[in-house]
Amino acid sequence: MMIVGEVPNVTPSSNGKPPPPVPTLERLATYHRFLVDLSHAQVETISSAEVERQTGINAAQFRKDLSYFAQFGKPGVGYNVVDLRDRIARILKIDQDQKLILVGAGNLGSALVGYPGLKEHRFNLVAVFDNNYGKIGRPLWNLEIMDVTRVKEVNQQHRARIAILAVPSVSAQMVTDLLVAAGIRAILNFAPVMLRVPDTVFVRNVSFLQELSVLSYHLSADPPFDGLSILRELDDHGNMAETD
Amino acid sequence: MMIVGEVPNVTPSSNGKPPPPVPTLERLATYHRFLVDLSHAQVETISSAEVERQTGINAAQFRKDLSYFAQFGKPGVGYNVVDLRDRIARILKIDQDQKLILVGAGNLGSALVGYPGLKEHRFNLVAVFDNNYGKIGRPLWNLEIMDVTRVKEVNQQHRARIAILAVPSVSAQMVTDLLVAAGIRAILNFAPVMLRVPDTVFVRNVSFLQELSVLSYHLSADPPFDGLSILRELDDHGNMAETD
DNA sequence: ATGCATTTGTTACGTATTTCACAATTAGCT
DNA sequence: AGCTAATTGTGAAATACGTAACAAATGCAT
Ligand SMILES: NC(=O)c1ccc[n+]([C@@H]2O[C@H](COP(=O)([O-])OP(=O)(O)OC[C@H]3O[C@@H](n4cnc5c(N)ncnc54)[C@H](O)[C@@H]3O)[C@@H](O)[C@H]2O)c1
Ligand SMILES: NC(=O)c1ccc[n+]([C@@H]2O[C@H](COP(=O)([O-])OP(=O)(O)OC[C@H]3O[C@@H](n4cnc5c(N)ncnc54)[C@H](O)[C@@H]3O)[C@@H](O)[C@H]2O)c1
């Protein structure tokens, strides 16, 4: 048994090479998004140095991240934007439709169900569940909210492997157990609790309160509001003037 | 100038000691939440070993995290739950009301405005902004949506230092510049883009698509849906049976 | 009061991740 | 074809982070 905060470092198709670090995988998704934008802007090729300039991610980091998978670029030239975009999509398996289910059709869950970014990344939300009888049977965007107790039965049809969990903290573990029993192998958890899952199941936690707390800490050295003194040093894009 | 993915490692009140790693700060927020729950359950004291059992975070890690700040526990006894909870709150500056503003009263923004967890952590949302004239002037929960062009003016009143950014990617940089000009020092960014900010401003990104992509990658070694074979090994809490 | 079982705080160690630095590769130019 | 400027891919060095191990501190039982 395992209690999960981070995803365990397992290699898909365990070969000889060292598995890519999880931070590399996270950045891969960032690169993908960035490359999508570049491709829309008709940019043909890009160098690692230019990636650094535009994203702030160190150029060597970018190259090393890619090196875990294959060779993508041409020395002296750079990377073909469309090619790299598609190859990263293949690595992350966001090049083909992937089914998702969601539990918890509340405030946050409803926002997620209507989020077009999911489709754009080929995540296909196929079912939404709740335990509130006032909600079950009602439509949410293009889906009908279903009884959470039917999740196993319903997922025998869909065979989704990823679930989004957007229920209150107190219910999160209970629902997780249902999801695991329904064959779910990966959970994106929005409740601020650590879930207990078998070690065959991956969990990633999203916690805004945690993020806000970290920001709050970082401000704690500062005066409550530094007035507008700093603003005099800023150009009209809000950036520091005169810095390289 | 700096383009931010992670928060730079600056110590509040730069003294001699090494600054706490950012992962430590993230876990601190997790401990705080956990301690709140324990205090509600009337638990008086807890040992690092028990923290490990209940959260999955290594006991030595827990002790080391705390050691960056002060001594909190008694050897042979453990930690006083309420005391530790409050001292972590002080470290993260979530022991006193902290003003927030939010830009982007869309799907996600609306869910966030109504999120009671904010108040519980003493984050006090004081103003909401949008650029859609159909929304400006309308109420959202207990606030009135204001014109984003007024953000600087309005924040001269409130003097909030933290902003939540929930606008579409294309607008994110533009709005960020307004926020910086309005004296905002920390941004929680939900748009899947890297923001350019002066290095006096902290940014943390929240990206579900990135999280989903990492999960997607981890499943890529597996068969599409591993049927129910695995379920035979699970007890009725969905946990692996017979694993230590 | 002493001894024992427990648990902390911290130093030392090990692993993971990032950054550096450079040989190797490519395209364009003459 | 050979030279040049640009840029990759990658081992090696540097940094950051996590884990283990243990002396010091505490409370409890006798
Ligand atoms: N709203 C936000 O902006 C926000 C932000 C950060 C984190 N979160 C977290 O996300 C989760 C959901 O937040 P929310 O604001 O949407 O809450 P909510 O109360 O609006 O929605 C929760 C939904 O879950 C359903 N639910 C409760 N128990 C259930 C169960 N056992 N099975 C199935 N469904 C069940 C409820 O009926 C409700 O529809 C919470 O854990 C919250 O802490 C929310
Ligand atoms: N909805 C989700 O569940 C979800 C999930 C992940 C990420 N996101 C991200 O969060 C952001 C918001 O998503 P959403 O679904 O709420 O979008 P949305 O379109 O529902 O809302 C965006 C809001 O921002 C406002 N806006 C646009 N330009 C603005 C500007 N220049 N100044 C002020 N306000 C402006 C719009 O009027 C709208 O009200 C997007 O970047 C999206 O990618 C959303």
Side-chain angles (χ1 to χ4, degrees):
Chain A
M1 207 260 282
M2 203 183 56
I3 304 174
V4 176
E6 277 302 311
V7 165
N9 213 349
V10 185
T11 332
S13 62
S14 289
N15 42 25
K17 285 173 284 184
V22 172
T24 290
L25 298 173
E26 294 172 355
R27 282 188 297 269
L28 234 45
T30 303
Y31 303 148
H32 180 260
R33 175 76 210 193
F34 176 62
L35 290 162
V36 168
D37 292 345
L38 285 180
S39 68
H40 288 159
Q42 316 291 334
V43 178
E44 297 245 335
T45 64
I46 190 160
S47 69
S48 60
E50 188 59 22
V51 169
E52 174 164 352
R53 242 164 283 143
Q54 293 195 40
T55 68
I57 296 172
N58 179 287
Q61 180 82 79
F62 175 77
R63 296 198 301 274
K64 179 155 272 248
D65 284 340
L66 297 181
S67 78
Y68 286 103
F69 302 97
Q71 279 151 218
F72 297 93
K74 281 189 186 163
V77 181
Y79 302 84
N80 180 286
V81 169
V82 169
D83 176 57
L84 185 57
R85 177 197 68 189
D86 292 343
R87 292 175 73 179
I88 292 178
R90 265 198 299 285
I91 290 166
L92 296 175
K93 286 288 177 300
I94 53 178
D95 63 323
Q96 50 194 257
D97 278 8
Q98 185 128 219
K99 291 181 180 177
L100 299 184
I101 63 175
L102 180 144
V103 188
N107 271 320
L108 181 62
S110 302
L112 290 167
V113 174
Y115 182 44
L118 289 177
K119 276 186 209 67
E120 285 161 24
H121 285 249
R122 310 203 61 171
F123 291 112
N124 181 18
L125 197 46
V126 293
V128 180
F129 300 89
D130 207 293
N131 76 336
N132 181 332
Y133 288 113
K135 295 185 176 184
I136 295 167
R138 290 181 166 262
L140 180 61
W141 302 83
N142 59 334
L143 293 170
E144 182 188 314
I145 299 171
M146 307 182 87
D147 189 332
V148 68
T149 60
R150 293 182 55 210
V151 65
K152 182 175 178 175
E153 168 207 336
V154 172
N155 202 45
Q156 246 144 29
Q157 245 55 46
H158 292 305
R159 307 187 151 244
R161 293 184 300 159
I162 303 179
I164 298 175
L165 185 57
V167 301
S169 302
V170 285
S171 312
Q173 185 58 54
M174 222 190 67
V175 174
T176 297
D177 297 344
L178 289 177
L179 289 171
V180 171
I184 288 295
R185 303 293 312 280
I187 299 174
L188 184 60
N189 172 39
F190 285 88
V193 289
M194 300 291 241
L195 301 176
R196 285 167 199 73
V197 293
D199 59 11
T200 50
V201 175
F202 301 101
V203 177
R204 301 213 23 123
N205 298 300
V206 176
S207 173
F208 324 16
L209 292 175
Q210 182 177 289
E211 301 295 334
L212 281 174
S213 299
V214 173
L215 289 175
S216 172
Y217 172 84
H218 276 100
L219 292 183
S220 61
D222 290 346
F225 184 88
D226 74 355
L228 301 178
S229 62
I230 182 190
L231 298 179
R232 281 192 291 275
E233 300 164 40
L234 302 177
D235 66 24
D236 56 9
H237 289 287
N239 292 325
M240 295 301 286
E242 299 293 290
T243 314
D244 70 22
Chain B
M1 208 259 282
M2 202 182 58
I3 303 173
V4 175
E6 278 302 310
V7 165
N9 214 349
V10 186
T11 333
S13 63
S14 288
N15 43 25
K17 284 174 283 185
V22 172
T24 289
L25 298 174
E26 294 171 354
R27 283 188 297 271
L28 235 43
T30 303
Y31 303 148
H32 180 259
R33 175 77 210 193
F34 176 63
L35 290 163
V36 168
D37 291 345
L38 285 181
S39 67
H40 288 160
Q42 315 292 335
V43 178
E44 296 244 335
T45 64
I46 190 159
S47 68
S48 61
E50 188 59 24
V51 169
E52 173 163 354
R53 240 165 284 141
Q54 295 195 39
T55 68
I57 296 172
N58 178 287
Q61 179 82 80
F62 176 76
R63 296 198 300 274
K64 178 165 249 238
D65 284 341
L66 297 181
S67 77
Y68 285 102
F69 302 96
Q71 280 153 215
F72 299 92
K74 280 191 186 163
V77 181
Y79 301 83
N80 179 287
V81 169
V82 169
D83 176 58
L84 184 58
R85 177 197 70 189
D86 292 344
R87 292 176 72 179
I88 292 178
R90 264 198 300 285
I91 291 166
L92 296 174
K93 286 287 176 299
I94 54 177
D95 62 322
Q96 50 196 254
D97 278 8
Q98 186 128 215
K99 291 180 178 177
L100 298 183
I101 64 176
L102 181 145
V103 187
N107 270 320
L108 181 61
S110 303
L112 289 168
V113 175
Y115 182 43
L118 290 177
K119 276 185 208 68
E120 285 160 24
H121 285 249
R122 309 203 60 172
F123 290 114
N124 181 18
L125 198 47
V126 294
V128 180
F129 300 89
D130 206 293
N131 77 336
N132 181 331
Y133 289 111
K135 294 185 177 185
I136 294 167
R138 290 182 166 260
L140 180 61
W141 302 84
N142 60 333
L143 293 169
E144 181 187 316
I145 299 171
M146 308 182 86
D147 189 332
V148 69
T149 60
R150 293 183 55 211
V151 65
K152 182 174 179 177
E153 168 206 336
V154 171
N155 202 44
Q156 246 144 27
Q157 245 56 47
H158 292 305
R159 307 188 151 243
R161 294 184 300 160
I162 304 179
I164 298 175
L165 186 56
V167 302
S169 301
V170 285
S171 311
Q173 185 60 54
M174 221 189 66
V175 174
T176 297
D177 297 344
L178 290 178
L179 289 172
V180 171
I184 287 295
R185 304 294 311 281
I187 298 174
L188 184 59
N189 172 37
F190 285 88
V193 290
M194 299 292 241
L195 302 176
R196 286 166 200 74
V197 293
D199 59 11
T200 49
V201 175
F202 301 101
V203 176
R204 300 213 25 123
N205 298 300
V206 177
S207 174
F208 323 15
L209 292 175
Q210 181 177 290
E211 302 295 332
L212 282 174
S213 299
V214 173
L215 288 175
S216 172
Y217 172 84
H218 276 100
L219 292 183
S220 61
D222 291 346
F225 183 88
D226 74 357
L228 301 177
S229 62
I230 180 189
L231 299 180
R232 282 191 291 275
E233 301 163 40
L234 303 177
D235 65 26
D236 56 9
H237 290 288
N239 292 324
M240 295 300 286
E242 299 292 288
T243 313
D244 67 21

